[in-house]
Amino acid sequence: MMVIGIDLGTTNSAVGYVDGDEARIIPNDRGARLTPSVVAITEKGEILVGDSAKNQAVIHSERTLSHVKRRMGEAVHLRLGARRLLPEEVSSEILRKLKTDAETYLGTEVKKAVITVPANFGDAQRKATIEAGRLAGLEVLRILNEPTAAALSYAWRHPDAERLAVYDLGGGTFDVTCLQKNGTDYQVRSSCGENQLGGLDFDSLLREELLKHFESEYGFVALSDSLVLQQISEMVERAKIELSSRESAAIALPFMGTGGQPLHLSYEARRDRFDQLIEPMIERTFALTLQAIEESGFSKVDALVLAGGSSRIPLVHRRLGELLGLKPSGGVNPDEVVALGAALYGSMLAEGQRFNGSGRRRLRDVTSYTLGVEIDNGKVAHLVRRNTPLPVDARRIVTTVADMQESVEVHVLQGEGPDVQSNRSLGRFMLSGITPARRGAARIEVSFLIDEDGIVRVAAVDTKSGRREHVTVRPVKDEQQEDARAISHRLESLSLRIRSDIEELSVPHELLSDIRELLQYSDKVRASGEESALREAEIALESIIEELISIREDLEGSSREHA
Ligand code: AMP
């Protein structure tokens, strides 16, 4: 049974397989080892994925979707040309391409896969990933955490390393994981991270800096033209990558028209300034790294494994080395290590089926959340602590607080705090039909089951009557992660979409000036970073998008009528 391992990345994706005892990357149809996680649709309705989609992104931004991983698990329809797709439907196109490329390369049909996700992905995001696999014609044998995959890949080839720390900084997310290896047993000891921290944030910081420079130097703000903004974004990312091997990188935008003389804009990005800009974010990753090591109980780390493209930034290497007194391990390609680990895990699962479990390698991951239920007086009983090995089956008996009570409400909470206020509510459900009795006599068993994909099910059973209710809850990102930066990112992409729409649609005049005002306002709000204003601006821009969609639909309707 061939099982492929897929690293479905924010920026790029990779696919691996195991040949003998060795994991290898499968090149795509262009011979490249990474495939951009970009999906586009042509005028004729043909879907493009990867490099061909990325290459046309600047000129056809309205027909291109990238960074969809950041939206996984959200119930939103993303616009791809005239189509509206859920994030998992878009991701399924990427997976379908990876599957096809793997089949062509291996010369055999591929039906099963292990797909990786950030350790901090919640339930809804994991389910959306499984659904994306299903839509692509893949049976997803397991959802595996990315840093766990990276650790597995390293540990496989380095038998001496027993205690590993994986620092995984990609395009959109940061994760850190500590893994202990004991013979053929791989046990994750701790894991934490942030869902909205990565290379895209560094790009934004550098782009802001460049736009400020253009404004002060040329009195020119390029923000109003979406095509120029897209171009700038690409150049900024290229310059950022160059700064990992050089002290400075030039960005040039020749022939920028402002009505009069064409301007030749240029900017020299410098590594020392870039380091200053990203330092606060990098510091946050270090604080989480120290937290993960502390929670692992390791007295010492044997190997530090870097994963994710952004871990190549020299500041990260240098400071992380100083922080832990340990050089990052060599011989690891941070772009490939996750897909290789996923492939190895796929082969472990296949091997397990072949040998019926005897003497095989085992991998145990942990849950990233603390979950509990509300009990008396607004207090919380924690049933599952963060970093509990998966799968989890945690149970607790609760009871009634009034005589003859026939129903109880189960309030599911996420967080470490002792009372309801300091936790986050994930949902409530009623269990009714309880056998009436004195207060405190009923025995209701609440159970939390978390499977190896990290998906959570909560159930309550009245042990006397056998009545049972359950819910599937969605653990959410920690409060701090849904912060100003995340909303600011979404605002930025909403603004880009609106700018390209108003250029191409015939928007009524009055609406146009309102939209322009709103866009200017949202640019200001983005610069201020004020969270409640960001939320308001996001809602306002979303409603504009709705209006633009209906204008587009009207236009499409009338052009069909004319045809
Ligand atoms: P990943 O999500 O692992 O594919 O990482 C992609 C991110 O890594 C993108 O934001 C890239 O711009 C960034 N990246 C890739 N190579 C480098 C590099 N040499 N230096 C800095 N950032 C990089």
Side-chain angles (χ1 to χ4, degrees), residues 404-415:
M404 311 311 271
Q405 190 178 329
E406 288 183 31
S407 63
V408 289
E409 186 186 56
V410 180
H411 185 192
V412 184
L413 296 144
Q414 176 184 328

Side-chain angles (χ1 to χ4, degrees), residues 7 9-13 34 69 168-173 198-203 237-238 240-245 274 307-314 334-335:
D7 171 8
T10 310
T11 322
N12 293 302
S13 295
L34 294 179
K69 186 171 174 181
D168 181 358
L169 186 59
T173 54
L200 288 172
D201 300 279
F202 309 152
D203 295 349
E237 189 189 0
R238 246 179 274 145
K240 173 193 74 175
I241 291 175
E242 208 174 322
L243 288 181
S244 289
S245 47
F274 176 66
S310 303
S311 71
R312 289 208 171 89
I313 295 174
D335 294 325

Side-chain angles (χ1 to χ4, degrees), residues 453-479:
D453 291 326
I455 289 172
V456 186
R457 287 178 191 85
V458 185
V461 185
D462 174 19
T463 50
K464 203 147 199 189
S465 69
R467 294 272 316 184
R468 182 188 160 83
E469 284 297 336
H470 71 277
V471 282
T472 305
V473 296
R474 299 173 160 207
V476 284
K477 304 162 200 166
D478 286 346
E479 196 85 57

Side-chain angles (χ1 to χ4, degrees), residues 29 38-50 52-54 56 63-65 79-85 89-97:
D29 56 347
V38 184
V39 177
I41 192 163
T42 64
E43 232 162 32
K44 292 187 184 138
E46 186 197 351
I47 295 279
L48 305 176
V49 180
S52 48
K54 190 176 175 182
Q56 56 83 71
R63 286 201 248 124
T64 313
L65 286 168
R79 216 189 72 207
L80 185 65
R83 290 175 68 182
R84 314 253 176 286
L85 299 172
E89 291 175 315
V90 181
S91 290
S92 79
E93 296 296 345
I94 301 169
L95 292 174
R96 187 169 296 125
K97 167 159 176 64

Side-chain angles (χ1 to χ4, degrees), residues 311-342:
S311 71
R312 289 208 171 89
I313 295 174
L315 178 74
V316 170
H317 265 251
R318 196 178 64 243
R319 295 286 311 282
L320 199 54
E322 286 163 10
L323 187 79
L324 303 182
L326 191 71
K327 269 203 164 156
S329 301
V332 177
N333 182 338
D335 294 325
E336 299 181 354
V337 68
V338 170
L340 295 175

Side-chain angles (χ1 to χ4, degrees), residues 67 70 169-174 194-208 236 240 274 277-278 281 284 310 481 483-489 492:
H67 309 136
R70 286 195 154 187
L169 186 59
T173 54
F174 169 69
E194 277 201 33
N195 264 345
Q196 307 279 349
L197 198 171
L200 288 172
D201 300 279
F202 309 152
D203 295 349
S204 291
L205 290 170
L206 196 56
R207 190 173 50 233
E208 295 287 324
V236 160
K240 173 193 74 175
F274 176 66
L277 290 171
I278 64 169
M281 287 191 186
R284 281 222 303 281
S310 303
Q481 287 158 13
D483 63 4
R485 275 173 312 107
I487 312 169
S488 170
H489 271 306
E492 187 185 1

